[in-house]
Amino acid sequence: MKPDTILRSAILASLTLALVACAGPEPVQRETPPPPVTSVAQADQQLAAVARERAAIEAHYAERERVCYSKFFTNNCLDEAKDTRRRALAAQRAIEVQAAHFKRQAVVEERDRNMAEAEKRFQAEEARLAAQPAKPAPAVTPAPPPRKPTAPARVAERDARVREAQQKEAAGAAKRASNVRAYEQRKAESEERQRRVAQRKAEKAAKAAKEAEEKARAAQPR
């Protein structure tokens, strides 16, 4: 065999050994998006698993980096290790974003359910109060035909009772009218609260989506 042929064979063999040495066990990669989260407990489990996986990824990268510095073509080996680390961290970030978003959404939905239940109880109480019949006004006994007073004291007492009954009737009518106005006001306030609840819900959903998008963008290696 010619000397130049032997030299080329030796160089090729060295390159092959260097590339094989740089290669190592790859972290498990997720080829598909993570399964949907269906409970807060599952979200907590996934977040804990992400923390463990990140630690393992960083440990694996540190080991690969140490091996690369001792091998030929160090830069190629380091680039490959960095790319593997980046892809593994991106996969874990996707799981983290999904689990964190589910937990935030669960908190919002629980609060909205509590507010809706409180509003429902309030509406039921308002309807019950409105359905109660008004107390009948006391009957006013018509005054007898005027006659010659024989007992001024009794006539004055009777007139006083008549005036008192009329005053009570007028006060009762005013109170019922006030109750009707108060009910209408509470109804308007209730409708306004429902509108504000719906508006806050939409704003928080938009904000949560924006935060998730910004965190995902910030987590991408530069």
Side-chain angles (χ1 to χ4, degrees), residues 180-198:
V180 171
R181 288 194 300 272
Y183 171 74
E184 293 297 333
Q185 181 178 356
R186 289 195 297 270
K187 182 178 179 183
E189 291 174 352
S190 174
E191 293 173 352
E192 176 62 18
R193 284 197 300 272
Q194 290 178 344
R195 185 191 67 78
R196 290 198 300 269
V197 166

Side-chain angles (χ1 to χ4, degrees), residues 19-55:
L19 292 175
V20 170
C22 285
E26 296 290 337
V28 176
Q29 300 295 322
R30 291 183 180 270
E31 299 296 337
T32 57
V37 183
T38 58
S39 67
V40 174
Q42 183 183 3
D44 289 335
Q45 291 174 357
Q46 288 192 359
L47 291 174
V50 165
R52 293 192 298 270
E53 288 295 326
R54 279 179 173 161

Side-chain angles (χ1 to χ4, degrees), residues 18 22 64-82:
C22 285
R64 289 287 305 278
E65 190 177 35
R66 184 187 64 79
V67 172
C68 288
Y69 279 120
S70 65
K71 301 298 180 180
F72 196 59
F73 288 122
T74 298
N75 289 338
N76 291 340
C77 185
L78 289 174
D79 289 342
E80 180 185 356
K82 289 177 181 178

Side-chain angles (χ1 to χ4, degrees), residues 61 78-88:
Y61 173 71
L78 289 174
D79 289 342
E80 180 185 356
K82 289 177 181 178
D83 184 65
T84 299
R85 172 177 172 270
R86 178 188 61 78
R87 288 185 284 109

Side-chain angles (χ1 to χ4, degrees), residues 26-221:
E26 296 290 337
V28 176
Q29 300 295 322
R30 291 183 180 270
E31 299 296 337
T32 57
V37 183
T38 58
S39 67
V40 174
Q42 183 183 3
D44 289 335
Q45 291 174 357
Q46 288 192 359
L47 291 174
V50 165
R52 293 192 298 270
E53 288 295 326
R54 279 179 173 161
I57 290 168
E58 295 296 346
H60 179 78
Y61 173 71
E63 177 63 21
R64 289 287 305 278
E65 190 177 35
R66 184 187 64 79
V67 172
C68 288
Y69 279 120
S70 65
K71 301 298 180 180
F72 196 59
F73 288 122
T74 298
N75 289 338
N76 291 340
C77 185
L78 289 174
D79 289 342
E80 180 185 356
K82 289 177 181 178
D83 184 65
T84 299
R85 172 177 172 270
R86 178 188 61 78
R87 288 185 284 109
L89 289 177
Q92 296 303 316
R93 177 58 181 168
I95 300 174
E96 181 183 44
V97 169
Q98 177 179 261
H101 175 71
F102 181 89
K103 290 188 67 175
R104 287 194 300 270
Q105 188 66 27
V107 171
V108 172
E109 291 176 355
E110 178 66 18
R111 185 198 59 211
D112 290 343
R113 281 195 298 270
N114 292 337
M115 292 180 65
E117 289 175 0
E119 182 65 24
K120 184 178 180 181
R121 291 193 296 270
F122 174 78
Q123 293 288 351
E125 180 64 15
E126 291 294 303
R128 186 185 68 81
L129 292 175
Q132 289 181 350
K135 293 183 178 180
V140 179
T141 304
R147 62 181 180 178
K148 185 178 179 179
T150 57
R154 287 198 298 272
V155 172
E157 183 181 355
R158 181 202 62 197
D159 292 342
R161 287 197 300 270
V162 170
R163 286 194 299 271
E164 182 181 0
Q166 291 174 343
Q167 291 172 355
K168 287 183 178 180
E169 170 61 18
K175 185 176 181 180
R176 288 192 296 274
S178 177
N179 289 339
V180 171
R181 288 194 300 272
Y183 171 74
E184 293 297 333
Q185 181 178 356
R186 289 195 297 270
K187 182 178 179 183
E189 291 174 352
S190 174
E191 293 173 352
E192 176 62 18
R193 284 197 300 272
Q194 290 178 344
R195 185 191 67 78
R196 290 198 300 269
V197 166
Q199 181 179 359
R200 288 196 300 270
K201 190 173 182 181
E203 290 175 351
K204 288 184 179 296
K207 182 178 179 182
K210 182 178 180 181
E211 289 178 354
E213 180 181 355
E214 290 177 352
K215 288 183 180 179
R217 188 182 303 113
Q220 294 295 328

